[in-house]
């Protein structure tokens, strides 16, 4: 049976979602996206350059191949985030929005109050809202109740590469909500992604972990394999952890 | 008459449509969104929307991001 991730009525085979920022060139980005196997890619919404440069990200990302997930990165109020989401919908003709409302410049941690406020408005306007949130089960539940299509708790601060700092909170979130839980931000290397998936998360979203690696194309492949391996291990069901040994070879028939 | 586009002041000689403005700026109306005085103008109305003195215009598109 195929293992499908369903988010907001869309179905994906890949459980790895990747960002398109911070790459040294479009060429590296295109190759990394390819190797990651991702079907969902995130983008930001910014002013068009008025210097008549023709190069555009749209020339490198085929909307027929990838589902484009615009974000509201850089927004510090609900109002700014709502405005950016509306612009994204008009520009990209999509109802998908990765909702970020940042509360603090240094940690880029979300402002939960403003996040909930913006999510309410956007869900009402028909957006499929995927909110970037703290690893807080209470906020996750509120976001689900509002009608968000998924919740996306951070593993660690954006771009920090610290990995999952609080696996117990992620586990509680997984028990608390029914919508997909996608770990977003803070993944530094393949094992971090595998741990998220082994916990039972439905997917992982990352940007810096791939784009910032010495060889982003190789890391993209590593992340793809890690997400697949972690997912399989979760579905397979790991053995319980025990303090003492239990022999793998039979005790019977040992020579005397 | 003066207008403001993406935070920069611009001088235009007369009232023009949004389509004309985009053409002057060499912007292909694909994958973009335009706000005039904080109101989004749907793509189908670019040819009708008239830009007036003092208008504040924001033109956005997608860029790399996480």
């Amino acid at each position: 049976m195929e293992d499908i991730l369903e988010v907001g009525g869309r179905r994906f085979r890949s459980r790895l979602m990747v960002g398109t920022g911070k790459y040294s060139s479009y060429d590296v980005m295109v190759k990394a996206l390819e190797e990651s196997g991702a079907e969902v890619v995130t983008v930001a919404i910014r002013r068009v350059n008025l210097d008549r440069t023709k190069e555009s990200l749209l020339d490198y990302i085929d909307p027929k191949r990838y589902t484009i997930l615009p974000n509201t990165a850089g927004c510090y109020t609900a109002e700014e985030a709502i405005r950016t989401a509306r612009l994204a919908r008009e520009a990209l003709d999509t109802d998908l929005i990765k909702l970020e409302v940042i509360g603090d410049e240094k940690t880029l941690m979300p402002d939960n109050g403003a996040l909930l406020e913006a999510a309410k408005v956007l869900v009402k306007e028909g957006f499929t809202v995927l909110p970037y949130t703290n690893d807080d089960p209470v906020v996750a539940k509120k976001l689900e109740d509002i009608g968000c299509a998924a919740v996306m708790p951070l593993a660690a601060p954006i771009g920090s590469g610290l990995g999952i700092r609080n696996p117990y909170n992620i586990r509680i979130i997984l028990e608390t909500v029914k919508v997909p839980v996608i770990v977003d931000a803070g993944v530094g290397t393949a094992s971090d992604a595998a741990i998220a998936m082994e916990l039972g998360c439905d997917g992982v979203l990352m940007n810096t972990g791939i784009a910032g690696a010495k060889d982003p194309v190789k890391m993209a492949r590593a992340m793809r394999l890690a997400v697949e391996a972690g997912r399989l291990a979760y579905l397979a069901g790991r053995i319980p952890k025990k303090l003492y040994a239990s022999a793998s070879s039979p005790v019977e028939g040992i020579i005397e | 008459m003066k207008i403001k586009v993406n935070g920069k002041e611009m001088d235009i000689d007369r009232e023009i449509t949004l389509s004309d403005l985009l053409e002057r700026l060499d912007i292909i109306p694909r994958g973009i969104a335009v706000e005039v005085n904080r109101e989004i103008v749907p793509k189908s109305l670019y040819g009708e929307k008239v830009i007036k003195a003092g208008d504040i215009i924001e033109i956005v598109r997608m860029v790399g991001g996480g």
Side-chain angles (χ1 to χ4, degrees):
Chain A
M1 213 179 72
E2 245 190 326
D3 181 33
I4 297 287
L5 167 64
E6 204 174 318
V7 185
R10 292 165 173 86
R11 293 158 64 83
F12 305 105
R13 276 186 299 274
S14 168
R15 289 173 182 271
L16 174 59
M17 303 181 178
V18 297
T20 55
K22 293 189 182 174
Y23 282 97
S24 55
S25 69
Y26 282 128
D27 183 50
V28 174
M29 183 200 74
V30 167
K31 285 182 180 140
L33 295 190
E34 185 102 39
E35 280 294 306
S36 75
E39 293 165 281
V40 178
V41 297
T42 60
V43 300
I45 300 296
R46 293 290 179 269
R47 281 172 167 170
V48 167
N49 287 330
L50 298 180
D51 57 8
R52 290 165 204 276
T53 44
K54 282 279 185 283
E55 206 169 49
S56 144
L57 182 59
L58 253 185
D59 299 328
Y60 296 90
I61 296 172
D62 180 3
K64 283 191 201 96
R65 175 169 176 189
Y66 295 104
T67 296
I68 296 174
L69 173 58
N71 68 29
T72 62
C75 293
Y76 282 79
T77 64
E79 193 196 354
E80 284 170 28
I82 292 164
R83 186 179 173 199
T84 304
R86 289 171 181 158
L87 284 166
R89 176 160 69 181
E90 170 66 22
L92 300 170
D93 204 19
T94 180
D95 60 311
L96 286 170
I97 192 75
K98 178 186 159 184
L99 181 62
E100 295 183 36
V101 187
I102 304 300
D104 167 52
E105 218 171 306
K106 201 167 170 184
T107 61
L108 298 179
M109 293 277 187
D111 177 334
N112 289 325
L115 179 70
L116 291 164
E117 195 186 321
K120 255 181 223 164
V121 173
L122 292 173
V123 166
K124 260 193 205 134
E125 290 185 12
F127 282 89
T128 298
V129 180
L130 311 179
Y132 154 74
T133 169
N134 291 82
D135 53 4
D136 180 338
V138 176
V139 175
K141 184 75 182 94
K142 284 185 182 176
L143 289 165
E144 178 182 58
D145 290 345
I146 283 170
C148 292
V151 290
M152 307 211 292
L154 51 82
I158 295 174
S160 70
L162 288 171
I164 297 196
R165 292 297 81 214
N166 200 338
Y168 304 102
N169 271 29
I170 300 290
R171 274 173 60 184
I172 297 171
I173 291 173
L174 285 162
E175 285 186 15
T176 308
V177 302
K178 289 184 197 75
V179 291
V181 176
I182 298 162
V183 161
D184 176 13
V187 168
T189 189
S191 52
D192 297 334
I195 287 168
M197 297 310 293
E198 285 171 15
L199 286 170
C201 292
D202 298 280
V204 180
L205 196 162
M206 66 180 77
N207 187 350
T208 311
I210 293 174
K214 271 189 197 149
D215 184 336
V217 181
K218 253 188 197 137
M219 188 57 93
R221 181 163 168 75
M223 291 300 185
R224 171 192 201 154
L225 295 171
V227 168
E228 283 176 14
R231 176 67 182 171
L232 276 176
Y234 168 72
L235 293 174
R238 60 154 299 149
I239 59 161
K241 289 180 185 177
K242 286 182 294 189
L243 192 55
Y244 293 102
S246 71
S248 304
S249 307
V251 182
E252 237 170 76
I254 291 177
I255 52 165
E256 277 172 30
Chain B
M1 56 185 244
K2 280 189 170 45
I3 57 169
K4 210 175 222 180
V5 183
N6 286 1
K8 282 186 193 127
E9 259 193 16
M10 251 184 83
D11 236 330
I12 48 175
D13 43 2
R14 59 188 167 85
E15 285 187 357
I16 56 173
T17 66
L18 181 51
S19 284
D20 296 336
L21 177 69
L22 292 173
E23 211 176 299
R24 279 194 198 190
L25 291 168
D26 233 352
I27 294 168
I28 304 157
R30 179 179 72 110
I32 63 165
V34 182
E35 263 183 3
V36 177
N37 303 326
R38 290 248 178 176
E39 291 264 342
I40 291 178
V41 182
K43 285 191 184 75
S44 54
L45 299 180
Y46 286 1
E48 295 166 32
K49 178 74 189 175
V50 177
I51 304 299
K52 300 190 170 86
D55 278 352
I56 295 172
I57 298 143
E58 292 284 345
I59 310 167
V60 299
R61 60 161 178 175
M62 71 174 191
V63 300

